[in-house]
Amino acid sequence: MAFRARGIYDNGKIRYYTCRVNFRQSLTKPELVFAFIATLLGLGYFALEFANDRAQMADFRVYYDAASALLRNGKVYGEAFGVSSGFFKYSPAACLPFVPLALLPYTAASVIYYTLVLSAIVWFMIMIIRATGATVSKNQGRILLIVSLFMADHLERELHLGNVNLFLLIAVYFIYKKIISEKKSQAGILYGIVLLFKPHFLILLPYWLWRKEWKLVVYSSIAILIGLLVPALFKGWTANMTLLGEWMAAIRDHNVQLYESPNTVYGLVHVVMPGSFNHSLLIPMLLAVTGLLYLLFISRNKNTSEPMRTFIEVFVLVALIPNLAHTDTEHFMWTWPLIAFSVVQLFQHTVKLKWVVVLLLTMAFVPYCLNSPDIVGKQLRYLFDEGGLLGLANLMIIGVSVWVFGMDLQQTGQKV
């Protein structure tokens, strides 16, 4: 069993906890039960998808067909794959991990990818809860259950669509782990790979600069440059430049007015502003306000200890992405680490006004987790997703995690 742990102790209780874990370490009984039930449910869901002819995995189809087009000199950009909205919008390098699967028949490839997503869900649920300290909690089973319920709809959607959002979140988790273990070059390479898939993660760049993570920034830049050039090795320089130009065009073509995106902070404020207001000003104004609030938050944390400081600061930014950029609702799953952190801290008995935190999380749970037409019907689902309630719930979860973090620092006697 390989396991190392480090924590801050207060009256014999571990407040913050970090560990190096691999799967040679024995799972606890609650983790084994969770892994068994989650795997069983995931396989059962896949069987139901096939039985009801819903196992198309529309997002995976886009990656699969784009990789096939790259292999066979087809059209990667500007082509709808699978469904009318199935346009590939990522860098040419983002096709490369899917090339081996594109060599297989689609049914075989989709089964393999579904298995990878299901395995990643089970693994990451255990790892993210361990990272926030639940390995020393007698309530570990309850924590796993509550966090699983909170994430159920978003994880079901990831399994149904077969996207890469989960893998990108895991990559950011590894970036966090590399940073706290002083492996900045590896963190930078991972960050560059993440940006090649979704430039939304540029939201982390000002934070790296503020922390003076120069090695991370340099290595991420090198990784991006290599990623942009690698397709030229087998497509040729001219063809690769054409692909890069088509990628830029695809990004432009799928943009919308941000204040019309209902779950963003701009969309939430837009609906309460008078019609005479210049709504284009909302974007720079709200970006500035968000940036200043975040700067105040991290400035107050500068004298606190690692690793939870970095954990909270990184994943608050990641969770803010769908509130600051126009994205699909499935990207709200990136709040998962903050949900795990808040629930763990509630059960670790470190939170004052616990009933307020529970009330806020319960209010957020309804639009965050129940935004499925199979649960609440199409009308309520539309209100949650298109009426801005999902975005508001996400902001509440972020706010709760920041509040809980601040309260726990005060209780442990650290300067805030």
Side-chain angles (χ1 to χ4, degrees), residues 17-62:
Y17 194 87
T18 182
C19 51
R20 295 180 185 177
V21 187
N22 59 40
F23 262 8
R24 288 181 297 171
Q25 178 190 350
S26 299
L27 296 177
T28 64
K29 183 178 179 181
E31 289 170 345
L32 281 170
V33 171
F34 164 77
F36 176 76
I37 294 176
T39 302
L40 196 63
L41 288 174
L43 294 176
Y45 179 73
F46 193 53
L48 286 173
E49 291 272 273
F50 258 107
N52 293 290
D53 196 27
R54 295 185 62 200
Q56 293 88 2
M57 296 181 72
D59 288 345
F60 173 68
R61 183 90 217 191
V62 174

Side-chain angles (χ1 to χ4, degrees), residues 66 68-77 81 235 243 246:
S68 299
L70 188 70
L71 277 175
R72 298 168 177 82
N73 296 317
K75 192 171 177 59
V76 176
Y77 298 98
F81 298 121
K235 297 294 291 184
L243 282 172
E246 291 174 345

Side-chain angles (χ1 to χ4, degrees), residues 322-343:
N323 284 120
L324 296 176
H326 176 70
T327 60
D328 299 326
T329 57
E330 59 201 85
H331 294 86
F332 284 97
M333 75 173 298
W334 289 340
T335 315
W336 187 354
L338 298 185
I339 293 170
F341 169 78
S342 298
V343 173

Side-chain angles (χ1 to χ4, degrees), residues 8-294:
I8 298 172
Y9 291 83
D10 180 45
N11 294 327
K13 186 182 294 183
I14 294 181
R15 293 296 189 179
Y16 295 137
Y17 194 87
T18 182
C19 51
R20 295 180 185 177
V21 187
N22 59 40
F23 262 8
R24 288 181 297 171
Q25 178 190 350
S26 299
L27 296 177
T28 64
K29 183 178 179 181
E31 289 170 345
L32 281 170
V33 171
F34 164 77
F36 176 76
I37 294 176
T39 302
L40 196 63
L41 288 174
L43 294 176
Y45 179 73
F46 193 53
L48 286 173
E49 291 272 273
F50 258 107
N52 293 290
D53 196 27
R54 295 185 62 200
Q56 293 88 2
M57 296 181 72
D59 288 345
F60 173 68
R61 183 90 217 191
V62 174
Y63 298 114
Y64 177 89
D65 285 348
S68 299
L70 188 70
L71 277 175
R72 298 168 177 82
N73 296 317
K75 192 171 177 59
V76 176
Y77 298 98
E79 184 81 19
F81 298 121
V83 295
S84 60
S85 60
F87 294 95
F88 186 74
K89 305 184 288 290
Y90 315 110
S91 73
C95 288
L96 298 180
F98 294 91
V99 167
L101 291 173
L103 297 173
L104 302 173
Y106 179 74
T107 300
S110 63
V111 170
I112 292 172
Y113 194 72
Y114 184 94
T115 303
L116 290 174
V117 174
L118 177 58
S119 301
I121 287 172
V122 175
W123 177 86
F124 190 63
M125 181 67 78
I126 293 170
M127 288 301 103
I128 201 64
I129 290 176
R130 284 183 177 183
T132 54
T135 46
V136 295
S137 172
K138 63 181 180 180
N139 294 305
Q140 190 184 28
R142 296 177 186 177
I143 292 169
L144 282 163
L145 175 61
I146 293 172
V147 177
S148 297
L149 289 174
F150 236 109
M151 294 303 305
D153 181 60
H154 295 276
L155 297 181
E156 179 270 336
R157 196 170 301 179
E158 193 76 357
L159 288 169
H160 176 66
L161 295 173
N163 211 319
V164 296
N165 297 314
L166 172 61
F167 295 112
L168 294 179
L169 181 63
I170 291 174
V172 175
Y173 171 73
F174 277 115
I175 291 170
Y176 150 73
K177 297 291 285 183
K178 297 297 182 184
I179 288 173
I180 64 174
S181 60
E182 297 296 326
K183 297 177 181 178
K184 307 299 178 66
S185 57
Q186 295 178 27
I189 292 169
L190 278 172
Y191 182 54
I193 293 171
V194 167
L195 288 176
L196 287 168
F197 274 87
K198 295 204 174 180
H200 300 84
F201 288 91
L202 278 170
I203 193 173
L204 288 166
L205 180 58
Y207 177 66
W208 305 139
L209 296 175
W210 184 83
R211 284 182 55 131
K212 300 180 181 179
E213 301 285 4
W214 310 123
K215 183 180 285 190
L216 186 154
V217 173
V218 168
Y219 273 85
S220 65
S221 301
I222 293 172
I224 291 170
L225 180 61
I226 293 173
L228 294 177
L229 295 179
V230 161
L233 296 177
F234 55 92
K235 297 294 291 184
W237 179 261
T238 302
N240 188 52
M241 294 303 294
T242 300
L243 282 172
L244 292 175
E246 291 174 345
W247 173 38
M248 293 294 103
I251 292 174
R252 290 194 303 269
D253 292 344
H254 291 88
N255 280 338
V256 300
Q257 291 287 354
L258 284 175
Y259 61 81
E260 295 177 355
S261 185
N263 289 303
T264 62
V265 291
Y266 328 109
L268 291 169
V269 175
H270 166 69
V271 297
V272 298
M273 298 299 289
S276 58
F277 184 78
N278 185 353
H279 295 285
S280 61
L281 294 176
L282 280 176
I283 298 170
M285 287 173 53
L286 292 174
L287 273 177
V289 170
T290 304
L292 287 172
L293 288 174
Y294 183 76

